[in-house]
Amino acid sequence: QVRLVESGGGLVQAGGSLRLSCLASGRSFSGYSTGWFRQAPGKERQFVAAIDWSGGSTNYADSVKGRFTISRDNTKNTVYLQMNSLKPEDTAVYYCGAVRYGTSWFDRRNYDYWGQGTQVTVSS
């Protein structure tokens, strides 16, 4: 069992920045890629970014490219999502999830583990 805990959310003005963290504990995280998704009220959970186990491969949703950066520190069992130039439309609950390496990380149904989420609110 892998337990994921997100942190770093909060309220920020448009144009501001936040860094989210996803801390993994429990069984080995090795072999898992990590994805960030977000869910706004009344909408489905959507893909934001993902990174493979080594950190050598990443992918971003078009809506966040150039503004968000995903990274990981395996010595700390932590994946980060640096969010810059935030917009009101980025407001959502952000979730991190773990998906087996080699499985498509775009589809939330492939994820084996999820955190509880952290709220990000961007005011205009």
Side-chain angles (χ1 to χ4, degrees), residues 38 47-49 59-68 87 106:
R38 65 187 182 188
F47 173 81
V48 175
N59 205 292
Y60 298 90
D62 288 342
S63 58
V64 307
K65 278 181 183 176
R67 300 188 298 123
F68 291 11
K87 304 175 181 180
F106 297 107

Side-chain angles (χ1 to χ4, degrees), residues 1-3 24-32 53 77 98 100 113:
Q1 186 80 5
V2 174
R3 182 168 179 257
S25 62
R27 61 160 287 180
S28 173
F29 209 20
S30 175
Y32 282 90
W53 166 249
N77 285 337
R100 292 185 185 274
Y113 304 103

Side-chain angles (χ1 to χ4, degrees), residues 5-118:
V5 178
E6 302 96 335
S7 61
L11 173 64
V12 64
Q13 288 188 333
S17 298
L18 285 173
R19 188 176 80 157
L20 306 184
S21 299
C22 174
L23 174 64
S25 62
R27 61 160 287 180
S28 173
F29 209 20
S30 175
Y32 282 90
S33 299
T34 304
W36 284 98
F37 283 69
R38 65 187 182 188
Q39 188 167 18
K43 295 187 177 181
E44 292 189 349
R45 193 173 298 190
Q46 59 179 200
F47 173 81
V48 175
I51 188 168
D52 70 355
W53 166 249
S54 70
S57 179
T58 60
N59 205 292
Y60 298 90
D62 288 342
S63 58
V64 307
K65 278 181 183 176
R67 300 188 298 123
F68 291 11
T69 303
I70 190 170
S71 61
R72 71 189 303 153
D73 184 344
N74 288 337
T75 65
K76 298 181 179 179
N77 285 337
T78 302
V79 173
Y80 304 98
L81 185 67
Q82 178 66 43
M83 306 187 295
N84 299 329
S85 302
L86 283 162
K87 304 175 181 180
E89 51 263 45
D90 294 319
T91 295
V93 177
Y94 282 70
Y95 299 89
C96 68
V99 59
R100 292 185 185 274
Y101 180 78
T103 305
S104 172
W105 53 29
F106 297 107
D107 189 341
R108 65 183 186 275
R109 296 170 296 181
N110 291 337
Y111 284 70
D112 293 324
Y113 304 103
W114 290 100
Q116 83 291 347
T118 185

